[in-house]
Every structure is written in structure tokens, then in C-alpha cells.
Amino acid sequence: MTDDVAAARAAAEEKSAFSHPPADPDATAAYGDDPDHVIDFWTPRGGSGSAPVVVVLHGGAWRAPYDRRHISPFAAFLAHRGFAVASVEYRRGAAGADGGDPVAGRWPDTFDDVAAALDALPALIREHLPAGDPRRVVLTGHSAGGHLALWAAARHVLPAGSPWRTDAPAPLRGVVALAPVADLEVADKLGVCGGAIRELLGGDGHFAERRPHADPALLLPTGIATTLVQGRADIEVPHAVAESYADAAAKAGEVVGVTLLPDVGHFPLIDPAADACAVVAEEIAQLAW
């Protein structure tokens, strides 16, 4: 496939994914004081009794223009599949100066927020998502959100002294990371998200020192069931990034599942109109139920 054809297909896939109107949640709750410290909740449609909870972390290169609303149709799709859903917002990078490109992420704010949200979730689920079972939680995220999902599941193996380190693994059934920025070094070398990797860590001068606290590929093994779902035709986050993470896990003595979807790019994984989205729901169900 030529570069022009690949780019045209990627553009069409992105247009389809963003064509759905935002879905309104059933409830929204705060986990902190900042306007971005909120979590949207969807109750499961159909069925009876408690349902597994899917925690969603949206992507968008950790940049401010992309918030949780762009992934709300995917969250609603999961709710219609019988899951209880919690979609987390967090602080992203500031708008670009003088009309320039927005910055990717904030250090340490982005990581502070994801850690705080996950810590607050069990109580918020009981209060705002009574149909959800906090004992059956699967964490998922797309692209930059996939990075954050893998990172959040690995807080117990962060370096000693890290402010986000926990004493024990998160109580998760598993992680399903969608086209994740799973290996920051490989993603950086491939130019993923136009320099966003280094911006996330605060710039070139901090990349090496902060990477051990932020790179999922260095935080292994986690002991938590993990599956990566990736389109083979993804030109936004090439599948080499996911494969590098899986290789690192194997070297650490852990098996990570990698589901590679042929003729699928970056955005169909969260597009309710795409067959790939149904595959994602099945991967989540395998861990959740």
C-alpha cells in the first residue's frame, strides 16, 4: 500500500470515528477540585444484577483539544454491550502559545490525575454506578489513553519513592490497551504523535530521568492480565510499538496477548460503526466476565 493510500484510509477511518455525536452519560462525578477532575458513568443496558465495570481512558496525544467527549460514543457502545462504564477525564497539555500546536501532557499533573481517579473509583462506583461491580474492573484506553491504562496498572512496580507507587497491584480483572503508546522509547524513535512523547515527560532534558516513572515497557511484570489490540494498518501508532511492549513483557517473564487486526488502522478500535470495535468488546468481555 502506498503512503498516499494509507493516509487516505486513515483519514476516512478518523472521519468515521468522529462522526458520531457525543453520548451523554447517566451521571458525572468529581474526583478532585480541577474542572478536568471528573468521571462520566454509563449504566449497563439490558440484563439484571451487577455488571463488570470498564474504565475508559481517552487518547488524543495527551493534548488539550481532545477530551473524553470524543470517546463517549465508544463508552455508550460498551454500555449497550452490558458493561457498566466509567470514562475518566484528566489534565492534558496546555494550548500552544501564539496559535502554535498544543503541548502534550503536563508533568506531573497528567499522572497525578490518572492515579487519583483510579484511587477514587471504587467509592464513586458504589455511589454513582450501583449496577457496576467494583470487584470486576477492566481498564481500557486508546492510544495515549492506552499508555495511561498500562501505566495505571503498573503503579505497584514503579521505582521506590515514586509519588504514584502503590503497595499492591490494582484490583483489576485485566487491561485491554487499544493501539497503545506502550513503549515510550520506541514510540519516540518512530515520531509517534509528532514529538508528544518527550513533551509528556517535560522535554528533552527530562526524558531519560522521568522515563522509568512513566514508560509501561519499563514497568514489567505487572502480574495483571493484559491484552493489546492493534490494527496492522495503523500509521498513527504503528504496531511495532505494541510488539515492543509484548517483547519486553516476555523478557520479564510475563505473557501479554496481542491481537493484530488486518486492514485496520488507528480509529476503528473506538468507532461503534466499525467491526473492530466489536472485537474490542469481546476482548474486554473475556477478561471481565
Side-chain angles (χ1 to χ4, degrees):
M1 181 182 297
T2 67
D3 289 347
D4 288 345
V5 172
R9 180 165 70 178
E13 290 175 338
E14 181 175 3
K15 182 178 180 180
S16 176
F18 282 82
S19 68
H20 309 285
D24 292 330
D26 297 307
T28 299
Y31 65 88
D33 297 329
D34 191 271
D36 283 327
H37 289 164
V38 292
I39 303 173
D40 289 338
F41 296 100
W42 280 264
T43 59
R45 273 43 172 181
S48 59
S50 64
V53 178
V54 182
V55 180
V56 177
L57 290 162
H58 71 81
W62 312 278
R63 291 181 170 129
Y66 305 97
D67 64 15
R68 71 194 186 282
R69 287 183 64 79
H70 85 266
I71 209 168
S72 62
F74 172 72
F77 170 84
L78 292 176
H80 283 283
R81 288 289 185 122
F83 298 106
V85 182
S87 181
V88 175
E89 190 57 275
Y90 52 88
R91 284 174 286 180
R92 286 98 54 219
D98 300 323
D101 291 336
V103 178
R106 302 188 202 179
W107 182 277
D109 309 53
T110 299
F111 296 91
D112 287 346
D113 291 358
V114 172
L118 270 293
D119 290 345
L121 257 176
L124 292 177
I125 288 170
R126 286 191 290 271
E127 181 177 357
H128 299 281
L129 200 58
D133 184 351
R135 300 166 300 177
R136 292 185 291 162
V137 176
V138 174
L139 188 55
T140 191
H142 178 243
S143 195
H147 158 262
L148 293 172
L150 294 170
W151 176 84
R155 289 169 59 200
H156 59 294
V157 293
L158 281 166
S162 171
W164 308 297
R165 183 181 168 95
T166 56
D167 293 331
L172 299 171
R173 283 288 180 93
V175 180
V176 179
L178 314 177
V181 187
D183 185 318
L184 296 187
E185 183 175 46
V186 171
D188 180 58
K189 289 178 179 177
L190 292 174
V192 167
C193 298
I197 311 303
R198 289 180 181 262
E199 288 180 0
L200 174 69
L201 302 191
D204 293 348
H206 296 292
F207 185 73
E209 67 175 281
R210 290 177 175 173
R211 190 176 153 235
H213 298 267
D215 191 344
L218 298 181
L219 302 174
L220 292 161
T222 66
I224 294 173
T226 301
T227 298
L228 312 184
V229 183
Q230 177 78 47
R232 283 188 179 275
D234 192 335
I235 62 174
E236 307 292 337
V237 183
H239 60 79
V241 179
E243 290 170 342
S244 180
Y245 176 86
D247 289 345
K251 291 175 182 176
E254 190 162 77
V255 176
V256 167
V258 180
T259 299
L260 290 174
L261 304 180
D263 301 319
V264 170
H266 192 63
F267 289 99
L269 303 177
I270 59 165
D271 181 356
D275 292 342
C277 200
V279 174
V280 167
E282 289 301 320
E283 294 286 358
I284 292 172
Q286 288 185 33
L287 295 178
W289 297 100

